[in-house]
Amino acid sequence: MNTRPLRTLVLAALALGLAACSGSKNPDSANASAPGSTPPASDSAAPATRDNTAEIQAYYAAHPEFFVFKTPADLPANLTWEDGSDLPELGSPERKRGGTFQGRIQDFPRTLRPVGPDSNSGFRGFILDENALSLGQLHPDVPGPHRFFPGLATSWAVDLPAKTVYVRLDPAARWSDGPPVTTADFLFSFWFFQGKYIQAPWYNNYYGIGETYTRITRYDDHTFAVTLAQSRPDLLSRVLGLGPKPAHFYRELGDDYVTRYNWRFEPTTGPWVISDAELKRTTTARNYIVLSRLENWWANDKRQFRYRYNPAALHLRVIRETTKAWEAFLLGELDAFGMNLAEYNYERLPDAHPLVTRGLIQKATFFNDVPRPNYGLWMNTAKPPLDDLNVRLGIQFASSWQLVIDQFFRGDYTRLHTSNQGYGDMSHPTLRGRPFDVAQAREHFARAGYTIPGPDGILRKPDGTRLAVTITTGYEALAPVLTILQQEARKAGLDFQVEILDASAAWKKVQEKNHQITFSAFGIGVELYPRYWETHHGINAYDQPYAADGLTPNPARKPKVQTNNLESIALPELDALITRYDKSDNLDEMRVMAHRMEELLYANASFSPGFALPFFRTATWRWVNFPSGHAFRFSGDAFEYGTHWLDETKKPETLSALRDETKTFPPSVKIHDQWKPKD
Amino acid sequence: MPVRLNPITVKKLRRFRALRRGFWSFVLLSGLIVFTLFAELFINSRALVVRHESRWFFPAYGDVIPGETFGLGYPWETDYRQLRERLRTDPAARARGDFALLAAIPYNPTENCYPGQFFRARPPDLAQRHLLGTDTQNRDILGRLVYGFRQALIFSLWFVLGSYLLGILIGCAMGYYGGTFDLVFQRLIEIWSNVPFLYVVIIIASLVRPSLGWLVAINIAFGWMGMTYYMRTGTLKEMARDYVASARVLGAGDTRIILRHILPNTAATLVTFVPFTVAGAIGSLTALDFLGFGLPVPTPSWGELLRQGTQNLTTAPWIVLSAVTAMTLVLTLVTFVGEAIREAFDPRTFTTYQ
């Protein structure tokens, strides 16, 4: 008995450590069940045990309304073709090709499949999101409305009334294993995403027949059209964002997709590939993985691509702990490190740090203009006491966000004002988050009946009910934020009880609407206008939100679970606006509606807007270069567009300067504020 | 009525006193425990005594006193450091003899000690009375250590009580009843011992907000088994003695025999295990806090300090130094006490075999 608890713990910790080691170094056990030995598709030794060509053709035939086959003669004549050729070119002609970029991943990927179970990891970015080309790409560095430049397409034409985008593919486009990219691969991608083999319900739903897209029409091998369910202002981005799937690679696709394709590298249209030799190596050594650049990539000399994706290889080391990765970066073993956290930027590597002043490490801040993750307090209005507007208003005034920004984020962050910020003029121009104001908070709490200060300083109702609400969150790293809010709220007589759970457990609780308040945020990609239906429509709050008259709340309504309406908000006027907004094809009309909706939400006071980061920061060793004067309006990552290049000739002198403190280079601490939001 | 001690116990206690290392460790540890129980008198943001306009206040152990009471013009809790400054500098207050007496370290363990300044671990600063510096959230490390120690003590107290109660009851019953009951429980214990304790705690802690009660309950659920072995063998041994047989002949029931006859004769050995269990419990709690599955924020805890320390080894070494030193000190003291108890209570010292 005596030392048992301690010993059990130590043993368990040891076991954890061992498990961690085996994950990175000795994959035999982990790999035994996964078909790591399945040869890559390009290996001729792999017998094609299955051929789904007939099945696919039958599927096309069974859905003639979705898969339409026409001839080039059927193309409408009066189309206006665009190709984005007037956009400035990305990257710099000064760039050097070659070198190995030293990067870090937190875990070895659990699969190389880009879709299906376990695929939505950080590694997906390297093989899909920041690699494979879509039809067109959003240009990250021009003002005004969203503009696209060609990727796999050479040109496109929009027919708004018909909700259709016509696309001409680049005949030069090739898969990394050789075959050309054709219309067939796009038709195939819809079969791929609509089918059950991939075990990915989100894709089934989004690409489902009649959901987002209603038709794909083939004209010839390099011309097709995609028709959408609704005519919306961002119609073009929904088509140009499409990427093909290699039909020849997935000929064996069937029920065993998840295991059969687990460790095969899907041929890509992008520059980065995992070679067969590398795949073989990683079956026995999983402490790193290397992506190499295709030497004869088809887009090598294309405009917008000739100065990009410059390194010859990406070497991604598995480093689980952030602090360990930091040490590796300081030794020059990693080329770059994200410096968004104040602690790293001001304590660990301040601008006055010798490595920076001696010019060995360069720092850069890039202001961007993207939808901000809406960090804040989401109050569930279905749960008392938050069903009382005065309590919600009181909480708004009792939440000391500015102090959080000043103390925890050291003034780097800015105050968030609405839950949809960063959509340019679609975001509300004048609404401001309510300030911390004890007097106003107490006044609202008094109106809600909390008038008597208790012995612990927390307000009470005359019947003894304490003014206490629980904040549920899965953000363990942001615990100090909640500590500050908790301490300050006491001044207003409010008791915030903080409940920090495992991220998925917290989200489950919130999705089941069992929370009072949740401190969370939705991460949002670059979009033209905010969405409201998921988060604010009454149908996502309650099963039957309103009584027969459609206006008054239904007394017997039950919260609807598994939706993103975290505030359980159900306002008839808002619902009507959302419905009109979601059908509108006129951005000006939508802007007016969006502003009106934000005003309604502001009056409802159920979201206390927290903070937003208007930029991202990086630290890079001096052999990593960026085009001068470049910026990223629509990105949160300096490496996403692949405009950087490496100058490995600088590496030996830099690393020797690490030990020789007399050597210095010109320092570089840059702030790129072209896209700094005006606030 | 004076407590009459068993002469053997008196002998054991005398022997314990004679073991100097263990005895002084015991004294020191007791001192630390007493200190942490009355920590509010030494480390506290609330004043101990305030005299304001001829009225006396003792805020340290009482209700929240709003700032308005002292004419500070706000309805939330008084900032006593501010009050002290005001009473010192205000001539009228001085004339009245008003004063505020604060604790030696005028901060509480969850408070941001540098209001208005950003979060940064600060090194020890005697002028500000941060004897061990502050952690990454501007909180006084000494305060967090002392109040964290209190949490660990409360935790281990409940853990020892709970796991011993369960272990003794089940162990005695196993030894006393024997047969199928014993066999079934032995197998159950073997299976239960092999459940990976840490994983279960992690799973539970990620699903609910772990309070002290929860943590104690989980730890007891996985910590009672070891005790049963000793109790079972002890009971089996005592069962064979004549006095148990005679009690049975006299008509005593099972409960009476177990509780009145067997237990007092076996329980003495248990005392020797207690210090080690306490050390284990403190270690468990610290480990859980270290991994982030322990007490809810912002409760002071050693594990949380250790975690901060390891994350800031180079930028703020004073955090990890304080936490490691405190932990080493306490665990060493407990172990010394444990060794001394074991030696003092060793039955071989009092009996000789011929």
Side-chain angles (χ1 to χ4, degrees):
Chain A
M1 176 64 218
N2 43 14
T3 57
R4 192 171 204 90
L6 187 61
R7 197 172 59 217
T8 322
L9 265 176
V10 170
L11 281 178
L14 211 67
L16 271 179
L18 286 177
C21 289
S22 74
S24 59
K25 284 181 186 145
N26 177 11
D28 296 36
S29 55
N31 204 19
S33 57
S37 53
T38 312
S42 57
D43 193 328
S44 57
T49 50
R50 191 181 136 82
D51 186 345
N52 52 27
T53 318
E55 182 187 339
I56 296 168
Q57 292 307 326
Y59 186 80
Y60 293 167
H63 297 93
E65 78 293 352
F66 194 92
F67 299 94
V68 181
F69 295 84
K70 291 187 177 174
T71 62
D74 299 328
L75 261 181
N78 55 347
L79 295 173
T80 324
W81 292 87
E82 293 170 63
D83 58 8
S85 57
D86 56 326
L87 291 169
E89 196 168 352
L90 290 174
S92 161
E94 292 165 36
R95 61 103 176 92
K96 280 188 181 178
R97 284 269 162 87
T100 300
F101 185 85
Q102 302 289 340
R104 171 224 178 186
I105 42 177
Q106 223 169 346
D107 273 307
F108 194 84
R110 287 159 77 183
T111 176
L112 294 181
R113 284 180 283 100
V115 287
D118 290 337
S119 65
N120 197 8
S121 68
F123 191 70
R124 203 182 90 135
F126 293 104
I127 54 174
L128 183 72
D129 306 324
E130 295 176 19
N131 185 14
L133 300 194
S134 53
L135 289 167
Q137 285 188 341
L138 181 65
H139 197 287
D141 206 11
V142 285
H146 292 188
R147 297 290 311 276
F148 297 87
F149 61 83
L152 289 170
T154 52
S155 56
W156 52 85
V158 181
D159 182 352
L160 199 61
K163 308 172 198 167
T164 301
V165 178
Y166 297 86
V167 178
R168 283 203 178 118
L169 282 180
D170 193 329
R174 290 281 179 285
W175 292 105
S176 53
D177 56 347
V181 178
T182 65
T183 303
D185 294 314
F186 282 89
L187 290 168
F188 173 81
S189 71
F190 279 97
W191 174 80
F192 181 85
F193 288 130
Q194 287 169 3
K196 297 290 172 204
Y197 296 140
I198 56 171
Q199 298 188 24
W202 186 90
Y203 287 90
N204 290 165
N205 181 39
Y206 183 80
Y207 288 94
I209 289 177
E211 290 291 336
T212 317
Y213 307 96
T214 54
R215 190 158 66 239
I216 175 163
T217 311
R218 179 191 186 276
Y219 293 97
D220 64 28
D221 264 356
H222 296 106
T223 316
F224 64 95
V226 177
T227 306
L228 281 96
Q230 285 180 341
S231 150
R232 305 303 310 278
D234 63 348
L235 184 88
L236 184 60
S237 76
R238 295 202 181 250
V239 174
L240 291 189
L242 288 173
K245 284 281 162 195
H248 61 281
F249 174 73
Y250 283 116
R251 199 156 290 152
E252 299 163 42
L253 182 65
D255 286 324
D256 59 353
Y257 164 71
V258 169
T259 49
R260 180 179 288 262
Y261 286 95
N262 220 17
W263 296 107
R264 294 194 195 178
F265 178 71
E266 181 191 289
T268 179
T269 53
W272 303 110
V273 293
I274 302 176
S275 68
D276 294 348
E278 178 65 9
L279 279 180
K280 205 167 172 190
R281 187 194 63 75
T282 52
T283 55
T284 51
R286 299 196 152 186
N287 48 352
Y288 70 91
I289 188 163
V290 177
L291 283 86
S292 42
R293 191 183 191 281
L294 276 178
E295 263 183 46
N296 52 352
W297 184 41
W298 69 272
N300 259 348
D301 301 318
K302 299 271 174 193
R303 194 180 136 78
Q304 298 291 12
F305 292 102
R306 54 186 166 172
Y307 305 137
R308 292 168 64 191
Y309 307 118
N310 299 308
L314 300 181
H315 183 284
L316 303 172
R317 244 172 87 184
V318 177
I319 306 180
R320 280 160 218 278
E321 294 266 332
T322 309
T323 42
K324 276 201 184 136
W326 175 249
E327 297 300 327
F329 172 66
L330 286 187
L331 291 172
E333 291 169 10
L334 296 180
D335 284 352
F337 202 88
M339 302 289 286
N340 284 358
L341 283 179
E343 184 197 335
Y344 283 83
N345 193 49
Y346 299 113
E347 296 294 324
R348 292 178 186 249
L349 191 72
D351 294 353
H353 194 283
L355 286 174
V356 180
T357 52
R358 286 167 54 216
L360 276 74
I361 291 179
Q362 311 184 325
K363 288 173 76 175
T365 303
F366 299 91
F367 281 88
N368 57 5
D369 183 18
V370 295
R372 310 290 174 197
N374 36 24
Y375 286 99
L377 301 182
W378 303 73
M379 302 175 216
N380 184 356
T381 55
K383 294 260 174 192
L386 300 164
D387 50 352
D388 186 332
L389 176 65
N390 275 312
V391 172
R392 299 199 297 268
L393 282 167
I395 290 174
Q396 297 263 355
F397 286 112
S399 304
S400 184
W401 290 111
Q402 196 54 49
L403 197 68
V404 168
I405 291 167
D406 292 344
Q407 294 194 334
F408 184 66
F409 296 118
R410 303 200 185 186
D412 277 351
Y413 281 57
T414 52
R415 178 78 197 271
L416 192 73
H417 297 298
T418 68
S419 59
N420 292 299
Q421 203 162 305
Y423 292 87
D425 56 7
M426 293 299 287
S427 298
H428 199 285
T430 53
L431 285 181
R432 289 291 167 262
R434 294 175 177 90
F436 178 66
D437 184 331
V438 173
Q440 288 210 58
R442 281 183 181 257
E443 193 188 317
H444 284 291
F445 289 142
R447 278 190 219 154
Y450 296 91
T451 46
I452 305 159
D456 52 358
I458 302 300
L459 292 170
R460 285 159 199 247
K461 278 186 178 174
D463 66 3
T465 318
R466 277 178 92 238
L467 181 55
V469 284
T470 304
I471 302 179
T472 304
T473 189
Y475 301 144
E476 216 216 323
L478 293 179
V481 168
L482 294 176
T483 312
I484 296 177
L485 290 182
Q486 187 185 42
Q487 301 277 323
E488 293 300 304
R490 298 190 79 85
K491 292 184 177 170
L494 166 69
D495 184 13
F496 272 145
Q497 291 174 348
V498 177
E499 181 181 55
I500 297 174
L501 303 178
D502 168 71
S504 53
W507 189 240
K508 188 169 186 295
K509 181 168 181 179
V510 169
Q511 287 280 291
E512 288 175 1
K513 308 289 169 74
N514 284 330
H515 64 292
Q516 280 191 308
I517 297 182
T518 177
F519 171 53
S520 343
F522 291 102
I524 303 158
V526 179
E527 291 185 351
L528 196 54
Y529 49 85
R531 311 179 199 180
Y532 290 93
W533 185 82
E534 275 177 65
T535 43
H536 293 106
H537 196 285
I539 202 72
N540 286 323
Y542 300 100
D543 52 350
Q544 288 175 330
Y546 310 112
D549 62 359
L551 291 173
T552 47
N554 170 11
R557 63 190 184 180
K558 288 195 181 64
K560 194 164 181 177
V561 299
Q562 305 298 337
T563 74
N564 283 342
N565 192 332
L566 309 185
E567 302 161 49
S568 298
I569 200 167
L571 305 171
E573 189 188 347
L574 187 65
D575 287 1
L577 275 165
I578 292 173
T579 311
R580 272 178 53 211
Y581 178 86
D582 278 355
K583 291 210 172 95
S584 172
D585 59 0
N586 181 334
L587 207 56
D588 295 324
E589 184 187 83
M590 287 172 71
R591 187 178 303 113
V592 175
M593 287 193 271
H595 293 177
R596 175 71 195 135
M597 287 193 277
E598 289 299 343
E599 284 154 16
L600 286 174
L601 293 174
Y602 183 80
N604 198 55
S606 47
F607 173 69
S608 170
F611 47 82
L613 185 64
F615 59 76
F616 60 91
R617 271 190 299 239
T618 54
T620 48
W621 282 88
R622 60 183 283 273
W623 56 79
V624 181
N625 300 276
F626 290 101
S628 60
H630 71 135
F632 299 97
R633 181 183 174 198
F634 295 131
S635 182
D637 171 5
F639 300 97
E640 182 184 345
Y641 279 87
T643 51
H644 59 288
W645 72 91
L646 308 175
D647 187 350
E648 287 199 333
T649 55
K650 288 181 183 168
K651 209 164 176 173
E653 58 180 25
T654 313
L655 289 179
S656 71
L658 198 54
R659 285 177 292 277
D660 178 2
E661 293 190 359
T662 58
K663 278 193 195 165
T664 57
F665 305 97
S668 166
V669 178
K670 286 187 181 152
I671 293 173
H672 302 273
D673 56 3
Q674 292 97 312
W675 303 114
K676 188 173 182 173
K678 291 173 229 44
D679 187 51
Chain B
M1 194 182 90
V3 183
R4 250 184 45 227
L5 284 173
N6 182 330
I8 294 179
T9 315
V10 175
K11 224 171 181 178
K12 286 173 179 172
L13 288 179
R14 265 200 211 119
R15 176 148 172 76
F16 178 71
R17 265 194 83 160
L19 295 163
R20 303 196 68 81
R21 191 175 75 183
F23 177 71
W24 285 110
S25 295
F26 178 75
V27 171
L28 199 58
L29 191 65
S30 310
L32 283 177
I33 293 173
V34 172
F35 173 73
T36 187
L37 292 182
F38 294 98
E40 274 88 356
L41 298 175
F42 309 98
I43 305 170
N44 200 344
S45 60
R46 291 185 180 180
L48 305 178
V49 186
V50 176
R51 192 186 136 90
H52 184 256
E53 295 182 351
S54 327
R55 284 170 67 201
W56 291 89
F57 297 89
F58 303 94
Y61 284 101
D63 291 348
V64 166
I65 303 174
E68 286 158 346
T69 313
F70 303 114
L72 292 173
Y74 49 79
W76 57 85
E77 177 156 30
T78 310
D79 176 350
Y80 291 98
R81 296 190 296 271
Q82 179 201 5
L83 178 68
R84 178 173 61 181
E85 276 316 300
R86 224 186 57 127
L87 294 184
R88 266 184 194 161
T89 48
D90 180 11
R94 289 180 64 150
R96 279 198 301 273
D98 288 358
F99 70 94
L101 176 67
L102 266 71
I105 293 164
Y107 304 103
N108 76 42
T110 56
E111 144 186 58
N112 171 10
C113 304
Y114 290 92
Q117 297 184 41
F118 48 67
F119 280 2
R120 185 165 67 96
R122 288 154 215 263
D125 179 348
L126 295 188
Q128 291 290 328
R129 302 278 176 92
H130 292 302
L131 305 186
L132 298 177
T134 62
D135 71 359
T136 52
Q137 294 180 46
N138 292 354
R139 300 179 297 205
D140 185 64
I141 291 179
L142 183 61
R144 290 190 74 75
L145 278 179
V146 170
Y147 287 95
F149 182 48
R150 182 193 280 185
Q151 293 288 345
L153 280 178
I154 297 172
F155 174 83
S156 25
L157 181 76
W158 284 111
F159 173 72
V160 168
L161 279 178
S163 60
Y164 277 43
L165 193 72
L166 210 61
I168 289 170
L169 281 182
I170 293 175
C172 278
M174 281 164 70
Y176 187 80
Y177 294 109
T180 321
F181 180 84
D182 185 25
L183 207 69
V184 169
F185 257 88
Q186 277 191 59
R187 298 295 88 75
L188 271 180
I189 287 170
E190 277 161 19
I191 295 168
W192 194 239
S193 312
N194 280 305
V195 175
F197 160 76
L198 195 70
Y199 291 124
V200 176
V201 177
I202 289 174
I203 291 166
I204 294 177
S206 64
L207 296 179
V208 297
R209 178 170 171 238
S211 61
L212 194 68
W214 261 106
L215 287 177
V216 170
I218 299 168
N219 274 275
I220 290 175
F222 289 91
W224 57 272
M225 288 88 73
M227 208 67 237
T228 56
Y229 294 114
Y230 300 105
M231 289 314 297
R232 179 173 165 274
T233 44
T235 311
L236 281 173
K237 198 174 83 186
E238 295 299 319
M239 283 263 292
R241 296 276 170 88
D242 293 344
Y243 73 91
V244 175
S246 58
R248 192 171 283 160
V249 169
L250 285 169
D254 287 353
T255 322
R256 187 180 170 87
I257 294 173
I258 292 176
L259 293 182
R260 299 297 294 271
H261 298 282
I262 297 179
L263 199 56
N265 285 296
T266 49
T269 51
L270 299 183
V271 178
T272 58
F273 296 132
V274 171
F276 299 104
T277 314
V278 169
I282 294 178
S284 297
L285 185 69
T286 309
L288 286 175
D289 279 328
F290 181 78
L291 295 173
F293 298 105
L295 297 164
V297 293
T299 319
S301 87
W302 289 6
E304 199 248 326
L305 264 183
L306 266 180
R307 184 153 61 137
Q308 279 192 23
T310 49
Q311 284 170 356
N312 298 282
L313 265 181
T314 47
T315 45
W318 55 90
I319 303 179
V320 78
L321 271 177
S322 312
V324 168
T325 312
M327 194 153 161
T328 316
L329 177 74
V330 167
L331 292 186
T332 312
L333 288 180
V334 173
T335 312
F336 284 165
V337 173
E339 277 176 1
I341 290 178
R342 182 179 280 175
E343 208 173 324
F345 282 56
D346 187 348
R348 275 169 301 179
T349 328
F350 308 108
T351 48
T352 48
Y353 295 102
Q354 289 179 344

